[in-house]
Amino acid sequence: MSNPASGNPCVGIIANPVSARDVRRVIANASTLQLTDRVNIILRALAALRALGVRQVLMMPDKVGISSLLLRGLARERTLGNAMPDVAFLTMEITSSAEDTRCAVRLMRAAGVCSILVLGGDGTHRAVVRELYLGSTADAPRIPIAGLSTGTNNAFPEMRESTVTALAVGLHATGRIPAERALAGNKLLEIDVNGGAIRDIAIVDAAVAFDRFIGARAMWKPDNLHSLFLAFGEPTAVGLSAIGGLLQPVSPRAPGGLAIRFGDGRAGSAGAIELTVPFAPGLIRSVQIAAWTAIEAGQALPVDLPGGSMALDGERELVFAEGDAVTVTLRENAFPTVDVPGCLHFAAQHGLFRHPATSQ
Amino acid sequence: MARRISLKTAVNEAIDQAMQLDPTVIMLGEDIVGGAGAPGEMDAWGGVLGVTKGLYAKHGDRLLDTPLSESAYVGAAIGAACCGMRPIAELMFIDFMGVCFDQIFNQAAKFRYMFGGKAETPVVIRCMVGAGFRAAAQHSQMLTPLFTHIPGLKVVCPSTPYDTKGLLMQSIRDNDPVIFCEHKNLYALEGDVPEAPYAIPFGEANVVREGRDVTIVTYGLMVHRSLEAAATLAKEGIDVEIVDLRTLSPLDIDTVLESVTRTGRLVCVDEASPRCNIATDIAAQVAMHAFKALKAQIEQVAPPHTPVPFSPTLEDLYIPSAAQIAQAVRRTTGGK
Amino acid sequence: MAANNPFPLSRDALLGCYRRMRTIREFEDRLHIDFGRGDIPGFVHLYAGEEAAAVGIMSHLGDGDRIASTHRGHGHCIAKGVDVGAMMKEIYGRKGGSCEGKGGSMHIADLSKGMMGANGILGAGAPLVCGAALAAKFRGKGEIAICFVGDGASNQGTFLESLNLAAIWNLPALFVVENNGYAESTSRDYATAVNSYVDRASGFGLPGVVVDGTDFFAVHEAAGEIIRRAREGGGPSLLECKMVRFHGHFEGDAQTYRANGELEDLRANHDCLKKLAAQLTSAGVASAAELADIDRQVLALIEQAVVDAKAAPLPSAADLLTDVYVKY
Ligand SMILES: Cc1ncc(C[n+]2csc(CCOP(=O)(O)OP(=O)(O)O)c2C)c(N)n1
Ligand SMILES: [Mg+2]
């Protein structure tokens, strides 16, 4: 395939080495994607990118083993004579925390990547989007992301073969598909504590819990929930967004979101209804629902619990105390993603993968 | 030209020269380079006590740091030895043999015989032996008898820097598996060592002190305790001969028999536990082959039949002392 | 204040855990000084920096639950309730020590507390824990056994064999990988091909969980779940605690394999004790003054332990020969 690429496109890859490692493995037989599998996913994506003419890839480094296994894999491919992009690891301090993801996004943005391929769960994607959304100026180009699910119960990234996702990323990066056809806009929830003292986001769900500590992070006890805000929730989901999905589904592309108030089982006041949901993979639980309502973009909705914690996309992230003013605001078309099916349909329609037959 | 160097340096020099002379010599062990994959200095340690420090700078990747997997890397050294290399595996403390014993006594030791003389396994397994380091029961043993017992293994335990270099060079050249035992309390000992490479043949005991009255047979650190005892006894008019076995397998029993035949008295000194050790083996062989020469019953000086204790007070009591050796000698001479 | 406690433990329990962590820190920092002075013989491996793991896990255990420790065992001992005075005497090689001076730092054990011993042989604890768990299973009282293993020692065959054994027998055995990034001077990145202990566990059919081992609450919560599961017959699992060691591999280690500034950063930003203190005070569970009071009491306890250890009698010649066998 000839390469009409504008310049020398560079794609960023952020692979979370430790997603899908939390306590749900023990509580609910949640699966864990092995490092070797994660690296194989990346190698397949790299092969697809290279096939479309992407020669430069910037990779987040890690100390958990993705980098070292990937280097071994690339060396092997080179020895075998298989074409791969040049993979450069970002020069950055590795903290083995979500800060690595944020730092990698900053460096990738500075390096001018066309897009970022993200491997991980909702949490990893949230970290990437958070940095892109909160950390960029209004006039900066909005870097699209393409997600591959490796996490526990992911509503945001798609379960898709990385080869295909990478083909879509490659079609966009090399300019074969115009941005307006290749990309899609996404909603998010903006969280604000005390008028901007703390700002955070969730790309799927923001859950308010009675717990006032972070602990093992994962949110897996339905009894501790106070309320829930959803950017979207589909009935086929697993996890917090499934609660909305089974009550009143909102798709990722539709306008508006959902707010849910749980029955405070603790105070003895039962909810209006009881809903059975797949709370985590393999963990079907009943939750008490007191009320739910559709929400519109742009409205700052207050969290009316005097002290508690918020789980953003499934992980307890922030603790607030009595007197803290916490609001949640839905934003639409807040960040772009590569529309993988859209890109490939476009490619098919326009014959982007067709070539004149080679004479024998 | 000889200079005075420590026993520790002698080990380092022997490996260095063997690597220079023979490209098939490689070395494997935990932290022998030290600092692999770490952000700081690459050869930060050079072995847990710094014995191999500096070798990485000279020989690079021929020294391989290993994971904490003794079965795997000692076994790998043995496998490589069957396939044209001369690996040195360092096991840190001989106590860790427990983890990889199968590879040594069922594999390395057996190949040649079991395969009808068709295999050669030129591997050296270096390790620290002996008590006195306050390192307690699992880092202080003198397990030399365990290996000496097994046909197919050679066992070396030098007492001086000179012997260390020569015997280690020989161990690396030797075409059989060798267990090379370095006494951790002798590392600092200094002695004259020629700079040029040289090898000391196996199976040649060294008479480190000549004497008429009593023969002490020993090896390792106990050579020095015996020399101390001999100095005391000399003042009492007892003239002691000391045989340093140097290699426990093969064993130079001829030198022992020759000496006992002359002196008529035998004291066997061993840092290994008292049952079925090197001392009892020597005693038995002398009783079998030179019984008529004996003028007194054979004496053994060895630690008690206990694990090595931690408390310095107890450990000092545990290790055979010069006084105990002297006392044993006096028993053979009736105090004369 | 107690009414306002946001944490899943009572105020008393929290302060108890803080006290244990502080005790370990003080004990180790004191040994560091005394070793430097030449007061302490032998090999001493300090647990400072890793306290949240030992205490976060051990706070779920009783004396009937067994643990097998490592060469870096002081923290496990203290967290499991071994007497600090007896430990100090042991390290000083005195009579009245946990092992009557015969074991030393690397072999402290107290079977009455379910502490099956620190261990000088890497990976040795894992099979023993399978045995302890098997015994617990036969006794049927819901007791469990936990093996602590370093990231380095996790490459021992014994450890991997034990994961399999625990899995096929569904033993109430837990494997805690204390991942501090180093084995002596060698980095985990170099020595371990697939750098995820959870992946290893999955290879044997065990679930595995990773937690920030410098966060007491993270360890406590995850450990609580895997321990409950094991007690209820759910079988073995693995917990990886990512942690940091504040001192050298052993005392006397110059640590030139570390990056410049690495230790300073660990102490400033990854100190589990500082983190716990901040969590307790900012939640209003305890005041800084109350914690300082505990610190003072702990300091006095350790000071007394050292004084007592130095004053304790040395073992006598007769002690050399006792306790080789039960009967001989
Ligand atoms: C079988 C065995 N091999 C080697 C050693 C020497 N040794 C003691 S501690 C250690 C490193 C252990 O590293 P790790 O398991 O990560 O534990 P850490 O020291 O980091 O707590 C080594 C190599 C030993 N004690 N036992
Ligand atoms: Mg370690």
Side-chain angles (χ1 to χ4, degrees):
Chain A
M1 186 186 257
S2 69
N3 180 11
S6 45
N8 194 358
C10 177
V11 169
I13 299 183
I14 290 180
N16 181 348
V18 292
S19 58
R21 293 283 191 263
D22 64 58
V23 71
R24 284 168 287 189
R25 265 26 55 188
V26 177
I27 292 156
N29 304 312
S31 52
T32 164
L33 189 67
Q34 302 213 354
L35 282 185
T36 42
D37 289 329
R38 292 176 204 225
V39 170
N40 287 339
I41 287 173
I42 300 171
L43 286 167
R44 299 199 298 272
L46 289 172
L49 288 172
R50 181 64 179 78
L52 292 194
V54 175
R55 289 168 179 274
Q56 280 194 57
V57 165
L58 268 183
M59 189 73 210
M60 176 178 85
D62 72 294
K63 284 191 197 158
V64 178
I66 298 235
S67 308
S68 52
L69 280 173
L70 184 62
L71 284 170
R72 252 186 257 165
L74 286 168
R76 183 186 64 227
E77 295 301 315
R78 214 177 302 125
T79 310
L80 296 173
N82 297 329
M84 282 287 181
D86 290 331
V87 177
F89 285 87
L90 295 167
T91 316
M92 54 181 259
E93 194 197 337
I94 301 169
T95 63
S96 297
S97 68
E99 176 52 28
D100 290 354
T101 300
R102 295 196 284 268
C103 177
V105 170
R106 285 193 293 274
L107 294 172
M108 286 176 184
R109 184 170 43 210
V113 297
C114 308
S115 51
I116 301 178
L117 191 61
V118 183
L119 267 83
D122 287 345
T124 313
H125 286 79
R126 173 183 155 272
V128 172
V129 174
R130 184 182 188 276
E131 187 60 37
L132 286 172
Y133 182 75
L134 296 181
S136 70
T137 50
D139 54 342
R142 301 202 303 167
I143 300 170
I145 63 171
L148 286 167
S149 171
T150 63
T152 306
N153 44 328
N154 300 311
F156 185 80
E158 297 167 342
M159 268 300 197
R160 200 184 287 285
E161 165 54 33
S162 65
T163 315
V164 176
T165 303
L167 285 176
V169 168
L171 289 168
H172 165 259
T174 54
R176 289 181 175 93
I177 304 184
E180 61 277 13
R181 298 297 301 271
L183 306 180
N186 296 269
K187 295 180 280 188
L188 58 69
L189 298 162
E190 215 176 281
I191 290 85
D192 180 296
V193 184
N194 298 334
I198 301 174
R199 283 178 76 210
D200 213 322
I201 62 142
I203 53 175
V204 184
D205 50 61
V208 181
F210 294 103
D211 307 282
R212 279 187 288 139
F213 71 103
I214 302 273
R217 302 201 90 91
M219 169 56 70
W220 52 275
K221 286 182 182 156
D223 302 344
N224 293 351
L225 287 173
H226 168 266
S227 50
L228 176 66
F229 299 87
L230 293 175
F232 63 89
E234 293 187 295
T236 50
V238 175
L240 289 166
S241 73
I243 298 174
L246 294 171
L247 269 181
Q248 179 176 321
V250 192
S251 94
R253 302 276 174 257
L258 201 67
I260 298 164
R261 179 60 169 273
F262 296 99
D264 184 355
R266 301 177 162 199
S269 65
I273 60 160
E274 212 173 275
L275 185 77
T276 302
V277 288
F279 198 78
L283 201 69
I284 315 299
R285 288 287 179 274
S286 287
V287 290
Q288 306 268 325
I289 310 283
W292 69 95
T293 175
I295 58 175
E296 279 175 28
Q299 288 177 348
L301 305 164
V303 170
D304 54 348
L305 178 67
S309 57
M310 276 194 107
L312 304 178
D313 297 320
E315 297 208 344
R316 283 165 270 170
E317 287 289 343
L318 55 97
V319 176
F320 57 93
E322 186 151 14
D324 287 334
V326 186
T327 62
V328 178
T329 311
L330 179 74
R331 302 282 179 204
E332 285 167 359
N333 197 18
F335 65 98
T337 46
V338 175
D339 176 1
V340 177
C343 285
L344 289 154
H345 278 114
F346 181 98
Q349 264 165 22
H350 294 80
L352 295 187
F353 287 95
R354 291 188 202 180
H355 313 280
T358 43
S359 54
Q360 286 171 350
Chain B
M1 205 191 63
R3 359 47 355 138
R4 284 185 80 72
I5 60 171
S6 68
L7 190 146
K8 180 168 151 177
T9 309
V11 173
N12 185 293
E13 190 167 288
I15 298 170
D16 183 18
Q17 293 182 351
M19 284 193 160
Q20 277 171 38
L21 293 169
D22 182 348
T24 66
V25 176
I26 56 171
M27 185 167 171
L28 290 63
E30 292 163 15
D31 301 275
I32 57 162
V33 177
E41 253 177 73
M42 176 58 195
D43 57 343
W45 269 28
V48 70
L49 297 185
V51 175
T52 44
K53 183 95 181 164
L55 292 178
Y56 180 75
K58 295 182 192 165
H59 303 287
D61 292 343
R62 286 165 70 191
L63 287 98
L64 290 115
D65 273 335
T66 67
L68 311 188
S69 311
E70 285 85 2
S71 280
Y73 80 79
V74 171
I78 291 165
C82 303
C83 303
M85 305 299 284
R86 289 191 181 273
I88 307 166
E90 192 210 89
L91 198 56
M92 237 183 258
F93 296 91
I94 200 169
D95 315 66
F96 305 163
M97 287 286 184
V99 179
C100 55
F101 209 13
D102 174 73
Q103 293 291 324
I104 297 168
F105 86 95
N106 274 325
Q107 311 304 325
K110 305 283 196 280
F111 289 156
R112 181 144 188 96
Y113 188 83
M114 209 163 63
F115 298 160
K118 294 191 183 71
E120 286 188 0
T121 312
V123 68
V124 182
I125 300 169
R126 281 184 51 226
C127 50
M128 283 187 264
V129 295
F133 224 67
R134 315 323 189 189
Q138 296 173 342
H139 287 68
S140 304
Q141 297 170 85
M142 178 56 85
L143 295 177
T144 40
L146 230 52
F147 299 94
T148 306
H149 180 71
I150 293 164
L153 298 180
K154 293 177 177 171
V155 184
V156 182
C157 188
S159 66
T160 65
Y162 176 85
D163 287 354
T164 298
K165 179 172 171 184
L167 289 168
L168 185 50
M169 294 291 286
Q170 177 55 37
S171 300
I172 297 168
R173 269 179 215 180
D174 203 89
N175 289 330
D176 289 310
V178 178
I179 312 295
F180 194 86
C181 304
E182 299 161 19
H183 203 293
K184 45 178 127 22
N185 279 316
L186 288 178
Y187 273 141
L189 178 77
E190 297 203 334
D192 287 342
V193 177
E195 238 165 81
Y198 61 96
I200 298 174
F202 286 172
E204 290 188 9
N206 188 17
V207 178
V208 294
R209 189 184 197 282
E210 290 181 2
R212 281 165 292 130
D213 300 331
V214 183
T215 301
I216 293 179
V217 179
T218 188
Y219 63 96
L221 175 73
M222 289 299 121
V223 170
H224 302 277
R225 296 271 158 105
S226 300
L227 282 166
E228 262 180 71
T232 309
L233 291 163
K235 291 179 203 143
E236 299 168 20
I238 302 174
D239 192 14
V240 174
E241 176 148 309
I242 300 174
V243 178
D244 176 358
L245 293 170
R246 302 200 289 191
T247 65
L248 309 176
S249 180
L251 179 73
D252 181 4
I253 194 66
D254 292 346
T255 298
V256 173
L257 292 175
E258 189 277 322
S259 174
V260 175
T261 307
R262 254 186 308 102
T263 62
R265 296 181 180 85
L266 174 64
V267 175
C268 302
V269 182
D270 197 347
E271 198 189 317
S273 302
R275 300 284 314 281
C276 305
N277 65 3
I278 306 300
T280 58
D281 181 40
I282 299 289
Q285 297 212 35
V286 169
M288 285 187 285
H289 304 301
F291 187 72
K292 289 201 181 115
L294 290 171
K295 298 181 205 154
Q297 74 179 23
I298 300 169
E299 289 286 337
Q300 180 192 211
V301 184
H305 187 58
T306 75
V308 182
F310 163 67
S311 178
T313 324
L314 294 179
E315 194 182 30
D316 290 344
L317 289 167
Y318 172 91
I319 307 168
S321 65
Q324 282 171 304
I325 298 168
Q327 204 45 44
V329 170
R330 290 187 199 106
R331 284 197 296 275
T332 65
T333 61
K336 181 215 78 90
Chain C
M1 259 187 183
N4 213 16
N5 177 1
F7 300 114
L9 289 98
S10 72
R11 184 181 122 92
D12 281 354
L14 285 169
L15 292 183
C17 289
Y18 175 82
R19 181 184 295 271
R20 287 234 156 136
M21 281 171 63
R22 172 59 70 190
T23 307
I24 297 171
R25 179 67 55 85
E26 206 61 61
F27 190 89
E28 300 295 61
D29 283 354
R30 180 60 190 256
L31 288 181
H32 177 70
I33 294 169
D34 290 359
F35 188 94
R37 285 205 197 107
D39 289 355
I40 294 169
F43 288 122
V44 177
H45 307 81
L46 301 180
Y47 196 73
E50 310 189 350
E51 295 87 347
V55 176
I57 291 162
M58 248 66 95
S59 57
H60 295 285
L61 304 185
D63 290 350
D65 299 313
R66 307 299 207 283
I67 65 159
S69 171
T70 67
H71 56 290
R72 199 176 299 290
H74 304 164
H76 304 140
C77 291
I78 293 174
K80 197 73 176 63
V82 180
D83 180 65
V84 170
M87 286 177 62
M88 193 64 87
K89 289 190 185 120
E90 187 59 36
I91 291 166
Y92 271 82
R94 304 294 168 131
K95 266 193 95 76
S98 313
C99 309
E100 300 296 338
K102 285 180 171 171
S105 164
M106 248 192 306
H107 305 294
I108 299 179
D110 184 346
L111 297 165
S112 72
K113 294 284 177 194
M115 165 63 192
M116 295 171 69
N119 210 312
I121 303 297
L122 298 174
L128 301 176
V129 152
C130 287
L134 187 64
K137 200 168 170 174
F138 274 109
R139 259 194 314 275
K141 291 186 188 161
E143 294 155 345
I144 58 144
I146 301 188
C147 160
F148 289 88
V149 66
D151 49 292
S154 76
N155 286 323
Q156 288 288 359
T158 45
F159 177 69
L160 301 168
E161 292 174 29
S162 298
L163 290 180
N164 184 57
L165 193 68
I168 63 159
W169 288 344
N170 198 43
L171 295 175
L174 304 175
F175 301 88
V176 175
V177 179
E178 296 188 316
N179 183 351
N180 59 15
Y182 291 99
E184 297 194 334
S185 64
T186 302
S187 81
R188 176 201 59 219
D189 302 355
Y190 167 82
T192 305
V194 174
N195 226 331
S196 159
Y197 302 92
V198 172
D199 285 7
R200 294 232 182 140
S202 349
F204 292 99
L206 270 66
V209 179
V210 184
V211 291
D212 176 355
T214 67
D215 180 343
F216 168 81
F217 291 107
V219 176
H220 179 270
E221 185 177 350
E225 287 309 315
I226 66 171
I227 289 169
R228 183 181 54 75
R229 174 186 154 112
R231 284 199 201 290
E232 292 171 0
S237 43
L238 178 146
L239 178 66
E240 175 187 346
C241 297
K242 291 188 181 291
M243 54 213 297
V244 297
R245 90 166 132 76
F246 278 179
H247 293 291
H249 167 68
F250 47 33
E251 287 309 278
D253 173 8
Q255 307 190 65
T256 54
Y257 46 83
R258 292 211 196 244
N260 282 335
E262 181 178 327
L263 268 176
E264 294 72 13
D265 172 59
L266 296 183
R267 285 174 178 274
N269 303 317
H270 301 278
D271 184 337
C272 60
L273 201 53
K274 274 191 204 160
K275 283 190 194 176
L276 179 60
Q279 285 161 323
L280 294 180
T281 50
S282 73
V285 171
S287 67
E290 282 173 299
L291 297 185
D293 211 41
I294 294 178
D295 293 356
R296 266 191 299 279
Q297 291 166 16
V298 167
L299 188 65
L301 174 81
I302 301 299
E303 182 57 39
Q304 191 59 47
V306 173
V307 170
D308 291 349
K310 286 182 173 166
L314 293 164
S316 66
D319 296 319
L320 179 60
L321 304 178
T322 58
D323 294 328
V324 180
Y325 301 93
V326 176
K327 189 166 184 296
Y328 197 53

